[in-house]
Amino acid sequence: MNKATVKDLCRLTNNYLGRRIQINGWVRTVRASKAFGFIELNDGTFFGSVQVVYDENLPNFKEISKLITGSAIRVAGVLVESPGAKQPFELKADSIEVEGLSAPDYPLQKKRHTFEFLRTIAHLRPRTNTFSAVFRVRSTAAYAIHKFFQERGFVYVHTPIITGSDAEGAGEMFRVTTLAFDQTPRDEKGAVDFTRDFFGKETNLTVSGQLEAENYAMAFGKVYTFGPTFRAENSNTPRHAAEFWMIEPEMAFAELQDDMDLAEEMLKFVISYVLENTPEEMQFFNSFIDKSLFERLDNVVKSEFGQITYSEAIDILKKSGQQFEYPVEWGVDLQTEHERYLTEKHFNKPVFVTDYPKEIKAFYMRMNDDGKTVAAMDLLAPGVGEIIGGSQREERLDALEKRMDELRLNKEDYWWYFDIRKYGGTRHAGFGLGFERLIMYLTGMTNIRDVISFPRTPKYAEF
RNA sequence: UCCUCGAUAGCUCAACGGUAGAGCAUCCGGCUGUUAACCGGAGGGUUGCUGGUUCGAAUCCAGCUCGGGGAGCCA
């Protein structure tokens, strides 16, 4: 007898029809009658379930008829064509063994739940249709990311999670310490004495692997990171989490245009790969989560992304005749309403905005010849806003140091970052992609907490 | 952090100043190739918390807690 998966049965039905097989899975629902019954069984390998038919010939017929939703069972029987209209085949059980009975207070009902409630049972929600689909797509998308970069010669770098540089410039950080915080050691001035901490210095969870990735790009040419990232910002929005995953490619001998080309190619690749390899899940999202999903994704894959400078974007916004809550002026950062206008109304496709004023961008971005703007790019996408942020990095040591002086950054912390400019530095560029935002874009899910298995947000670290 | 909306049975919701209900889930029974199965019955509630107004509060008011949406920060 073959052990099979629901995915096998659905994809390779003819190989299994008429044969005796075993399926292990969890009960989605039982419809029991006096002398027979049906079980909807899902084994997690596939979006769909398999219908199991059983009758009173089973020695444990009564027990099976009383199975509670969520129970784990092992079913053996012959796969046959189904007379029912809703499924092409079904499993005619000759044996059903209960692996693990579910308790009567199993919280998932057959009718629909709100996502808010399901967040409170994040340990059980992957057993629902939506989350089953979300996390299978997430897995497939992660694979697609690796496939994309690996096939193009990028080396996967694991950058540190604990970082000693306290000024990467990407926001509030979580401190990492073994000091007892109710009696921290103090120096002569009364300040906390971090020399007595585990690492002998102040350390935090990383907010970005970029600086380290730049170093590795100067050895391997093309690298990427893909790992967890932490921001201690008090952001209470559907688009922010304290712990999320980020992808950060970095290329030596590359300029901003190369960076944008890479970002565009990568996005199109991942979208195509996911559409091709998880069609049932994507169909589900298009039907029940976001009815314009396919249209939107198709549009992205087929279109040439737009590309304008920040200055051009300001002009477009000024001439738009739109009333914005935040007035548009050269020098101010683009607000969400501005970004949405550009990508959803003006272009109606993803658009790169480049060459921002230096004042509103990070210190490491390369100064343009005008002395006012830097070689930065944000990719704005309809529906989600900023999905990628990147730049060409400042490779000229003097220009970098000058900029850091202006911003009063402590240059001593960056000696190793300066070294790659000193010892055979090259033009180089990279970007950061928030993985969860990509998943939101791919699935139409509108809350980041619903695309992370166990989300961490302000005031919330359950599970 | 700011603005705004909300919190009633395990879940999804109704009742909007006068005895707190339904569907699903659970338990018991019936029945049919069923498919958000169906039919009958039962149990299940300090209406988020604290205080106030009132003869009387789920309902009106205030504060707090938690959650949703929008904004800021960002990916």
Side-chain angles (χ1 to χ4, degrees):
Chain A
M1 181 177 55
N2 282 332
K3 225 185 228 182
T5 63
V6 176
K7 184 174 186 175
D8 292 337
L9 302 188
C10 291
R11 287 283 164 76
L12 307 163
T13 311
N14 288 335
N15 294 0
Y16 291 93
L17 269 179
R19 294 175 61 183
R20 186 160 185 272
I21 55 171
Q22 181 179 334
I23 295 277
N24 303 332
W26 292 268
V27 173
R28 284 285 175 85
T29 173
V30 180
R31 293 179 290 273
S33 295
K34 194 176 177 181
F36 60 91
F38 302 90
I39 296 172
E40 216 66 57
L41 191 66
N42 186 283
D43 72 349
T45 61
F46 194 65
F47 179 69
S49 302
V50 63
Q51 171 160 283
V52 175
V53 194
Y54 65 96
D55 60 32
E56 54 192 343
N57 290 326
L58 289 184
N60 54 352
F61 173 75
K62 277 242 151 87
E63 184 194 2
I64 297 304
S65 287
K66 291 192 169 187
L67 273 179
I68 288 161
T69 307
S71 296
I73 57 173
R74 303 191 304 273
V75 183
V78 177
L79 194 74
V80 298
E81 288 186 33
S82 175
K86 296 206 174 179
Q87 62 280 322
F89 57 83
E90 61 192 19
L91 188 57
K92 184 101 184 60
D94 54 54
S95 158
I96 300 180
E97 291 176 78
V98 179
E99 173 92 10
L101 198 60
S102 180
D105 59 353
Y106 187 67
L108 292 172
Q109 61 177 17
K110 285 176 220 175
K111 289 196 175 182
R112 104 169 265 290
H113 285 289
T114 59
F115 291 146
E116 288 85 356
F117 170 68
L118 291 170
R119 274 173 220 149
T120 68
I121 50 167
H123 56 310
L124 296 173
R125 67 180 181 169
R127 299 191 192 186
T128 65
N129 282 338
T130 301
F131 289 92
S132 170
V134 165
F135 290 105
R136 211 170 300 97
V137 164
R138 183 176 168 124
S139 168
T140 301
Y143 179 71
I145 295 277
H146 283 297
K147 187 172 161 66
F148 174 83
F149 285 115
Q150 295 281 340
E151 284 176 355
R152 283 158 187 76
F154 283 71
V155 171
Y156 180 30
V157 183
H158 293 116
T159 51
I161 307 243
I162 298 171
T163 172
S165 33
D166 62 353
E168 288 175 9
E172 295 294 310
M173 304 175 91
F174 288 102
R175 177 162 293 159
V176 175
T177 183
T178 54
L179 294 176
F181 44 80
D182 53 350
Q183 45 184 336
T184 49
R186 303 281 165 163
D187 60 20
E188 318 83 69
K189 291 178 197 154
V192 174
D193 183 5
F194 285 106
T195 63
R196 295 173 63 184
D197 203 349
F198 186 89
F199 294 107
K201 65 187 293 193
E202 198 175 341
T203 50
N204 295 286
L205 293 180
T206 184
V207 293
S208 165
Q210 182 200 313
L211 303 191
E212 290 90 347
E214 283 185 51
N215 286 264
Y216 269 67
M218 292 300 141
F220 294 97
K222 294 190 287 187
V223 302
Y224 69 106
T225 73
F226 187 174
T229 310
F230 308 88
R231 304 272 168 93
E233 239 126 47
N234 190 18
S235 298
N236 294 287
T237 85
R239 293 151 42 72
H240 290 85
E243 177 181 303
F244 62 99
W245 286 61
M246 193 154 62
I247 295 130
E248 295 176 293
E250 193 71 37
M251 298 179 288
F253 303 102
E255 300 184 343
L256 192 64
Q257 188 61 51
D258 304 307
D259 204 28
M260 289 187 279
D261 291 346
L262 180 74
E264 180 166 346
E265 199 188 343
M266 180 201 68
L267 267 187
K268 288 177 175 175
F269 178 90
V270 175
I271 291 171
S272 301
Y273 189 88
V274 167
L275 283 170
E276 203 171 307
N277 287 278
T278 49
E280 288 80 8
E281 285 83 354
M282 295 304 285
Q283 183 63 56
F284 171 82
F285 291 125
N286 190 59
S287 302
F288 296 107
I289 303 293
D290 175 1
K291 294 207 187 301
S292 62
L293 182 66
F294 282 167
E295 191 189 334
R296 196 181 75 220
L297 295 179
D298 271 2
N299 182 28
V300 172
V301 172
K302 286 180 185 142
S303 67
E304 288 271 308
F305 291 9
Q307 190 178 320
I308 52 170
T309 65
Y310 167 87
S311 301
E312 289 164 350
I314 295 293
D315 278 347
I316 290 170
L317 292 167
K318 278 189 165 173
K319 288 175 186 158
S320 68
Q322 293 275 314
Q323 278 289 3
F324 293 113
E325 193 186 336
Y326 293 86
V328 181
E329 205 55 56
W330 199 97
V332 303
D333 207 354
L334 296 180
Q335 303 295 313
T336 299
E337 57 176 344
H338 306 141
E339 296 182 343
R340 292 185 69 127
Y341 177 83
L342 288 170
T343 187
E344 290 170 16
K345 297 256 172 61
H346 190 84
F347 284 92
N348 192 32
K349 64 180 181 180
V351 55
F352 289 106
V353 179
T354 65
D355 303 297
Y356 285 79
K358 64 179 179 183
E359 286 80 12
I360 58 175
K361 288 293 179 186
F363 74 90
Y364 50 74
M365 297 187 179
R366 191 181 196 276
M367 188 69 70
N368 287 327
D369 292 342
D370 61 13
K372 290 192 292 193
T373 61
V374 290
M377 62 94 162
D378 283 356
L379 179 64
L380 311 179
V384 291
E386 183 183 337
I387 194 166
I388 285 176
S391 68
Q392 185 173 341
R393 321 305 188 187
E394 184 57 81
E395 83 280 8
R396 299 161 297 189
L397 189 53
D398 52 342
L400 182 64
E401 289 193 274
K402 182 165 164 259
R403 187 70 188 131
M404 291 177 79
D405 285 337
E406 284 171 15
L407 295 170
R408 291 174 204 227
L409 291 170
N410 185 6
K411 289 192 288 184
E412 283 161 26
D413 290 344
Y414 295 87
W415 63 271
W416 50 278
Y417 190 63
F418 294 142
D419 269 5
I420 55 172
R421 273 84 180 159
K422 191 172 158 193
Y423 302 122
T426 75
R427 286 165 299 151
H428 62 292
F431 63 79
L433 165 72
F435 186 54
E436 284 76 15
R437 291 197 180 165
L438 174 65
I439 302 304
M440 291 166 74
Y441 195 63
L442 284 169
T443 59
M445 298 293 287
T446 54
N447 195 311
I448 196 168
R449 299 171 184 95
D450 297 329
V451 299
I452 302 182
S453 57
F454 297 101
R456 275 80 181 90
T457 51
K459 298 277 183 292
Y460 195 81
E462 194 62 56
F463 304 104

